[in-house]
Amino acid sequence: AATKEAEVPATDERENKQEEAEAHKHGPASTHRPVQAATSGLSSDSLEIGEGLEAGDDHCSGWEVDPGVSAPLDCNAGEFFEYHSKARIKLVKMSYLRTLSARGKILPRCQDVPYGQWKPMNGSNMVVVSHPWLSEKHPDPTGVQLNELVKALNDLENKGVIDESCGVFYDFCSLPQRPRNHLEEVLFRKQLGGMRKLYVASNSRVLLLPHVPDGAA
């Protein structure tokens, strides 16, 4: 991440006061949900039938496609891309996640993802990952969740639900994390202000990773 503080035009600041006020309710310190809230009522070995899957598909351990938020609902393509053009959400390439998993690495924060490992937001389908954080400072400090994510993506691709053109939204890799410079903080607040649009966009598939290993903080 850059160390030099970037100036943000005053017009940009005024335009986003409402979004920042909404984001303030969530607090700037973290984007993660408490483990209890993220896993409440979910089974670690069940697959729910969602958009793109048909009844009768085999259950896949440790993950599920959420049927409740995959539909377009009230967020059309124009509304979503207007939000994205301001918030600049980053999507990670599936191939990069597979490489990290195969090499036994853990997920880097957004600012440390190498150049070239982003997927352009060009209207292709995206996978939005909903998951618990397994420690306070890193969502997956041992890489167990990354391995589950890669398995889930491979299973979905084999079923024809997604393909290699999909980008992946995973908060730690897709939103600027602390420490953030001034520009990153402004972007972060914009992103939080419209986060629901990711989950209801017509081109998104929401993937739940509910499993919490024993000993997770």
Side-chain angles (χ1 to χ4, degrees):
T3 56
K4 183 179 179 180
E5 296 290 322
E7 294 187 2
V8 179
T11 54
D12 190 46
E13 291 279 11
R14 289 196 299 270
E15 179 184 339
N16 292 284
K17 280 184 179 180
Q18 184 175 357
E19 289 181 346
E20 292 190 11
E22 175 66 20
H24 182 70
K25 294 190 297 184
H26 300 277
S30 170
T31 64
H32 73 271
R33 312 177 186 185
V35 166
Q36 294 84 354
T39 60
S40 176
L42 297 175
S43 168
S44 63
D45 60 357
S46 65
L47 171 67
E48 302 236 356
I49 304 303
E51 183 177 343
L53 294 180
E54 298 180 358
D57 282 341
D58 293 336
H59 284 201
C60 301
S61 176
W63 62 276
E64 48 191 295
V65 176
D66 188 339
V69 290
S70 294
L73 298 180
D74 61 346
C75 181
N76 59 40
E79 181 184 358
F80 174 76
F81 285 107
E82 180 181 2
Y83 161 67
H84 173 67
S85 67
K86 296 178 180 179
R88 287 179 259 176
I89 297 288
K90 292 185 175 181
L91 302 179
V92 184
K93 290 182 177 180
M94 292 198 298
S95 59
Y96 177 59
L97 298 175
R98 291 187 179 112
T99 298
L100 288 176
S101 177
R103 294 179 178 177
K105 304 293 186 180
I106 63 173
L107 292 163
R109 69 185 190 126
C110 176
Q111 296 96 316
D112 297 329
V113 174
Y115 180 80
Q117 300 306 325
W118 305 114
K119 199 72 177 177
M121 185 78 76
N122 57 6
S124 299
N125 288 341
M126 62 180 172
V127 176
V128 180
V129 183
S130 178
H131 64 96
W133 277 49
L134 304 183
S135 74
E136 182 178 356
K137 295 184 178 180
H138 194 286
D140 182 27
T142 66
V144 63
Q145 195 173 90
L146 171 61
N147 294 336
E148 292 178 355
L149 172 58
V150 169
K151 180 185 183 301
L153 293 173
N154 290 342
D155 288 346
L156 289 173
E157 188 170 19
N158 290 337
K159 291 176 182 291
V161 178
I162 62 174
D163 57 36
E164 195 62 34
S165 68
C166 288
V168 178
F169 172 85
Y170 185 100
D171 55 3
F172 190 69
C173 301
S174 298
L175 308 178
Q177 303 296 312
R178 283 188 167 183
R180 293 183 285 266
N181 63 31
H182 180 60
L183 178 58
E184 290 167 348
E185 186 66 40
V186 171
L187 279 175
F188 180 71
R189 290 176 176 272
K190 287 182 185 179
Q191 291 162 344
L192 286 188
M195 189 62 61
R196 55 168 288 278
K197 293 180 174 65
L198 282 173
Y199 293 85
V200 300
S202 58
N203 63 325
S204 71
R205 300 293 182 271
V206 178
L207 178 65
L208 304 183
L209 295 176
H211 178 60
V212 179
D214 293 339

